[in-house]
Amino acid sequence: MNIKLKEIDKDTLKVGDVVGVAREVSYRWKSSFRHKMIYPAKITRITPKRTKFFTDKFGEHDKREVFYECDNEAARETFLAKTFRDIQDGIFELTELKRNDCIGKISDEDLPEVAEHMKAITEILKKYKEK
């Protein structure tokens, strides 16, 4: 999927504008996912020389910060980053269940549904294991 985020020219920004601020989704030591979370933030202050920008959510940004338009492309980027984070959280929960020996406590009513979902997940992941 090819997503093109539109950068905003900082010279055109003014106080009150809403911009997208990108933040990485990390998953290992010094590793991050290829898609970023784009958070909408409102510009609250700009220094006279336009070297620093301040937003309501993140505070101070330096001149190297890239701001993006909050459009459909940014929404798709954020959606993919969120789904990756959900996968990460699910893997963590499974690991905790196994580590705490709670996986054997799954009720008989839930067991068929859990097995069905787990089978679907492993089928998808098999194609990445072979690479």
Side-chain angles (χ1 to χ4, degrees):
M1 182 175 290
N2 192 10
I3 297 175
K4 297 280 186 190
L5 295 174
K6 295 176 191 144
E7 292 183 15
I8 296 175
D9 182 17
K10 290 186 194 134
D11 293 332
T12 63
L13 286 176
K14 54 190 176 298
V15 174
D17 286 349
V18 176
V19 295
V21 180
R23 293 293 180 253
E24 292 183 343
V25 177
S26 59
Y27 62 94
R28 265 195 330 238
W29 176 251
K30 293 194 175 190
S31 298
S32 59
F33 188 54
R34 63 186 169 271
H35 296 287
K36 297 178 173 131
M37 296 284 292
I38 309 296
Y39 296 99
K42 186 190 243 182
I43 301 286
T44 57
R45 186 174 150 234
I46 302 172
T47 59
K49 292 185 179 181
R50 297 178 102 50
T51 55
K52 292 184 182 173
F53 297 84
F54 295 85
T55 59
D56 58 347
K57 287 192 180 173
F58 298 101
E60 184 179 318
H61 302 270
D62 62 10
K63 62 184 176 183
R64 290 184 301 270
E65 181 82 54
V66 179
F67 296 119
Y68 300 99
E69 288 185 19
C70 293
D71 58 2
N72 289 338
E73 294 292 302
R76 284 185 10 196
E77 181 87 0
T78 300
F79 173 75
L80 292 171
K82 279 182 183 177
T83 54
F84 178 77
R85 199 172 57 192
D86 290 344
I87 291 170
Q88 240 185 319
D89 293 346
I91 291 170
F92 176 79
E93 289 299 324
L94 277 173
T95 306
E96 285 296 301
L97 277 173
K98 184 178 177 185
R99 187 176 67 84
N100 295 334
D101 202 28
C102 294
I103 204 155
K105 296 178 185 174
I106 297 173
S107 70
D108 292 345
E109 293 81 28
D110 292 334
L111 207 55
E113 186 178 357
V114 170
E116 185 179 322
H117 288 297
M118 191 57 69
K119 186 176 179 181
I121 290 169
T122 53
E123 288 297 316
I124 292 169
L125 295 178
K126 276 183 188 176
K127 65 182 175 184
Y128 298 102
K129 190 176 178 181
E130 296 168 359
K131 293 182 180 181

